[in-house]
Amino acid sequence: MRTILLIGVVIIVLVVGKLFVFSKTKSDKPEGAKGKTEGAGKTAGGGSGVPVNVFVVGRESIENQIFASGTIIPNEEVNLMAEISGRLTKLDIQEGAYVQKGQLIAKINDRELRAQLQKIGFNQELAKKIEARQKKLLNVEAINLEEYDVTSNNIRLLDAEKEVIESQLEKTEIRAPFNGRIGLKNISEGAYVAPGTPIVTVVQSNPVKIDFTIPEKYAPSIRIGNVVKFNLDGDPSTYNAKIIALDPKVDENLRTLRLRALAPNPQGRFVPGMFVKVLADLEANRSAMMIPTEAIVPVLKGKKVYVVKNGKAQEAMVVTGLRTDKKIQVIEGLQPGDSLITSGIIALKPNAAVKVN
């Protein structure tokens, strides 16, 4: 009986202890805790907008420069070919050697033509003697004027035939049309050539020409006589060239304008066919609107940006111009003073509320 009474007392003590601990824990909790938690949730769910960075659009002065790829071409180049048929009796060239204008490079067999020229010479000599005798007879009216005219005409015909043969003889000699260097020969001495057979190339590379293209929108800003700079691959030096010609039309497919510049090459540093990087300085723009390139969003119809108006993001279609390493020129679509959004653009939607950082 005493044992049962002792167990009952222990159970009552345990129950009373648990009730006391529960009551103390509940009373120790601050009264404002619940309200603070609820307020935090409300702030997280009801923010004032997407945080963004902005750039205030303004005007600034920029250097108007065009970078283009170009190719060096020779000042003069010609592929010498045979004009008549015959055996090549002489090829007096050394590949890569320098030749003077008018220097004999190749000779075609002219033996038959010289024989024809000699025959005409004999006929001319005879015709002149006949003409002299008939002139004396005509003075004493021993012959009529018609016979004398026929003889005089024969002399003129022989002169014309002689000129034709001499022109054919000139074609047997192939000479350098200008000062330059001989290229690699395409034929050897003793070969039979026909009209149009290529023999050798002559190249004049001092000075050299540089051909390059620019976008059509820059065409009004560049003129003949402007000086451009260019660099060679692997060469840190900068060289100058003067624009000597502009293509009179724009390429319809690429929408580019082709230009040609001239550069001195006394040391032979520039070899025709080389690739060059061209830099053309145009007139500086003193009032250009330049914006960060990361603000531009390419779209199907062009390019757009987002600006902040009345606390919301608004779309604006823009037309761009010059580009630098960090900025791009805006020609149309923005005004000085506009607040341009430069961050968080991917997450933005038109009329979305934004918060400027």
Side-chain angles (χ1 to χ4, degrees):
M1 186 70 179
R2 184 179 297 177
T3 302
I4 295 172
L5 182 62
L6 181 61
I7 293 172
V9 172
V10 171
I11 291 173
I12 292 171
V13 171
L14 291 174
V15 170
V16 173
K18 287 183 178 181
L19 292 172
F20 177 78
V21 171
F22 176 77
S23 176
K24 181 176 181 58
T25 303
K26 185 175 181 181
S27 62
D28 288 345
K29 185 175 181 181
E31 293 182 359
K34 182 176 180 181
K36 185 176 181 180
T37 304
E38 292 176 355
K42 183 177 180 181
T43 302
S48 59
V50 179
V52 295
N53 296 333
V54 298
F55 174 86
V56 179
V57 178
R59 295 189 181 275
E60 58 185 272
S61 178
I62 60 171
E63 296 295 332
N64 199 351
Q65 296 179 325
I66 302 175
F67 293 89
S69 299
T71 303
I72 294 178
I73 62 174
N75 184 46
E76 301 288 351
E77 181 180 12
V78 63
N79 191 11
L80 299 180
M81 298 182 179
E83 294 186 75
I84 62 174
S85 302
R87 180 172 56 85
L88 200 63
T89 59
K90 184 178 182 181
L91 190 60
D92 189 15
I93 60 171
Q94 182 179 355
E95 294 171 320
Y98 186 82
V99 293
Q100 297 284 345
K101 180 179 180 179
Q103 180 177 331
L104 181 64
I105 293 176
K107 177 69 176 178
I108 298 174
N109 184 15
D110 62 354
R111 186 174 179 179
E112 181 178 353
L113 293 173
R114 291 195 175 278
Q116 294 179 15
L117 187 61
Q118 187 177 17
K119 178 181 178 181
I120 292 175
F122 293 151
N123 289 334
Q124 282 182 316
E125 184 178 353
L126 177 60
K128 288 178 180 180
K129 291 180 179 180
I130 294 174
E131 188 269 340
R133 288 195 294 266
Q134 287 187 349
K135 188 174 184 179
K136 293 179 180 179
L137 294 175
L138 181 63
N139 291 334
V140 295
E141 298 182 356
I143 61 172
N144 57 35
L145 182 60
E146 182 180 356
E147 294 180 12
Y148 178 78
D149 288 342
V150 170
T151 303
S152 299
N153 187 59
N154 287 337
I155 294 176
R156 289 190 291 270
L157 289 176
L158 291 173
D159 290 339
E161 290 180 10
K162 181 180 180 181
E163 187 173 349
V164 170
I165 299 301
E166 288 177 344
S167 67
Q168 293 293 318
L169 282 172
E170 288 182 3
K171 294 179 180 180
T172 64
E173 296 180 347
I174 301 172
R175 299 181 178 272
F178 46 78
N179 299 340
R181 291 193 177 275
I182 292 289
L184 305 180
K185 62 182 181 181
N186 302 309
I187 202 168
S188 299
E189 184 175 327
Y192 181 84
V193 296
T197 302
I199 296 175
V200 75
T201 301
V202 179
V203 177
Q204 186 183 86
S205 56
N206 182 30
V208 292
K209 297 173 182 175
I210 301 174
D211 279 6
F212 62 99
T213 58
I214 61 172
E216 61 179 353
K217 60 183 177 181
Y218 299 123
S221 302
I222 199 159
R223 296 287 184 272
I224 294 176
N226 289 4
V227 176
V228 298
K229 300 177 182 178
F230 65 96
N231 301 92
L232 305 176
D233 279 343
D235 187 349
S237 302
T238 299
Y239 306 95
N240 294 331
K242 181 180 290 186
I243 296 177
I244 60 172
L246 283 73
D247 199 322
K249 65 177 183 177
V250 172
D251 189 299
E252 297 179 357
N253 298 320
L254 302 178
R255 296 302 175 187
T256 56
L257 178 68
R258 185 181 177 189
L259 294 89
R260 177 167 292 174
L262 193 69
N265 188 29
Q267 306 299 327
R269 177 68 183 88
F270 314 131
V271 180
M274 276 185 168
F275 168 81
V276 295
K277 293 172 285 187
V278 181
L279 169 62
D281 289 317
L282 306 182
E283 295 180 359
N285 191 336
R286 303 300 179 186
S287 60
M289 285 190 296
M290 303 296 293
I291 66 171
T293 54
E294 61 266 22
I296 296 291
V297 181
V299 293
L300 184 61
K301 295 182 180 180
K303 300 173 184 177
K304 71 176 182 179
V305 296
Y306 285 98
V307 295
V308 178
K309 290 184 178 180
N310 300 323
K312 295 183 178 181
Q314 301 290 337
E315 286 184 346
M317 299 300 295
V318 295
V319 178
T320 59
L322 297 176
R323 181 187 293 269
T324 65
D325 55 343
K326 295 182 179 180
K327 292 185 177 182
I328 187 170
Q329 180 189 12
V330 174
I331 301 175
E332 296 179 6
L334 293 177
Q335 295 295 329
D338 288 345
S339 297
L340 182 71
I341 298 176
T342 59
S343 66
I345 297 176
I346 298 178
L348 287 178
K349 294 181 179 180
N351 296 318
V354 296
K355 179 181 179 182
V356 178
N357 291 333

